[in-house]
Amino acid sequence: MARPYYSEPGDRIESTRPVTVSRYRGFIRANHWITALSLILLLISGLAFFHPSLYFLTGLFGGGQNARWLHPVIGVVLFFSFLTMFVQLWRLNMPRPEDTTWIAQIGDVVKGNEENLPEVGKYNVGQKFIFWGMSILIVVLIVSGVMIWEQFFGELVTIPTRRVAVLTHSLAAVAIILVFILHVYAAFWTRGTLRAMTRGTVTGGWAYRHHRKWLRELAGRRQRGPAE
């Protein structure tokens, strides 16, 4: 059997009356929420250190000292949780021929005229942008974060280098906050998306409207059967 092009092996049509499609397995969903929670905690603790007027946010962590040592530890958790998700999903987030047309018709995306858009696989260009944006920014954050983690790595870099790392870390943090906000907005804007990460399934209508090539591949796999 050929390797799926638009889907993962675990994706499948669970039922036909009504049509219900399995989009994310339990492990992926749990890992996604660990990543999201880690990012939120880093956002809050990072903002507390960003400006004195936001220092009160350290109270959510039990004070400044706790927030100071928890921030880099949570950063490591974020890196490895996202790495786990990256290993599973990177292939389906690679560019596809239809992505160029999708970008060219971005106006239809904003207006919600999806009937004018090309059929896409499990992820559209917007989702791929968020995935790769997160991937790059998390690498920048972990590398720059290690460089400024004085408790364990203070002697590995010079003070001028550490200053550059602090600036890089701050800029990457602002960028990932913007990408995260875009991700959350898109999840609420596209009705039915949150169900995929809470229940693991989507309706057949949702799959047909937003990710038709993905659904067609699953339907073809169902017709052929697991033995082929």
Side-chain angles (χ1 to χ4, degrees):
M1 179 177 168
R3 186 176 186 181
Y5 187 70
Y6 288 110
S7 62
E8 297 178 272
D11 299 346
R12 67 187 186 279
I13 297 176
E14 291 191 348
S15 62
T16 57
R17 296 185 180 180
V19 176
T20 303
V21 188
S22 176
R23 186 165 173 85
Y24 293 115
R25 290 164 291 174
F27 177 79
I28 294 180
R29 299 201 309 275
N31 193 62
H32 170 272
W33 291 115
I34 291 172
T35 302
L37 178 61
S38 300
L39 191 57
I40 292 171
L41 293 175
L42 287 169
L43 184 155
I44 296 172
S45 56
L47 287 176
F49 302 135
F50 192 76
H51 194 273
S53 64
L54 299 173
Y55 188 75
F56 71 92
L57 293 173
T58 59
L60 298 174
F61 301 88
Q65 290 290 357
N66 287 338
R68 182 179 177 83
W69 76 263
L70 277 173
H71 184 84
V73 171
I74 297 172
V76 173
V77 173
L78 171 69
F79 174 76
F80 283 105
S81 64
F82 190 87
L83 178 62
T84 302
M85 190 160 55
F86 180 90
V87 170
Q88 297 175 80
L89 303 179
W90 72 270
R91 183 179 62 84
L92 296 182
N93 281 279
M94 294 298 290
R96 300 295 188 212
E98 62 273 12
D99 291 343
T100 303
T101 306
W102 199 92
I103 294 174
Q105 297 178 223
I106 192 68
D108 288 318
V109 177
V110 176
K111 296 175 183 177
N113 300 329
E114 295 193 46
E115 64 277 2
N116 299 329
L117 297 173
E119 296 182 3
V120 297
K122 189 167 185 176
Y123 301 109
N124 60 41
V125 180
Q127 292 167 313
K128 292 177 181 180
F129 167 79
I130 291 173
F131 178 84
W132 290 109
M134 284 281 188
S135 301
I136 294 170
L137 290 170
I138 286 175
V139 170
V140 173
L141 286 168
I142 193 68
V143 172
S144 59
V146 166
M147 294 174 70
I148 62 179
W149 197 351
E150 295 186 41
Q151 183 179 1
F152 297 106
F153 307 102
E155 298 181 358
L156 296 181
V157 296
T158 63
I159 291 178
T161 301
R162 190 176 300 128
R163 288 172 179 166
V164 174
V166 169
L167 177 61
T168 303
H169 195 79
S170 300
L171 293 175
V174 172
I176 204 168
I177 289 172
L178 295 176
V179 173
F180 180 69
I181 291 173
L182 179 61
H183 176 54
V184 173
Y185 175 78
F188 281 97
W189 182 52
T190 307
R191 187 175 302 174
T193 300
L194 285 177
R195 169 175 169 162
M197 271 302 171
T198 53
R199 304 183 194 179
T201 61
V202 294
T203 65
W206 185 95
Y208 185 81
R209 179 178 182 184
H210 301 296
H211 301 276
R212 198 168 301 177
K213 281 191 175 181
W214 173 64
L215 181 61
R216 291 188 193 280
E217 184 168 278
L218 299 184
R221 188 194 306 170
R222 181 183 177 92
Q223 291 174 356
R224 290 191 300 269
E228 299 183 27

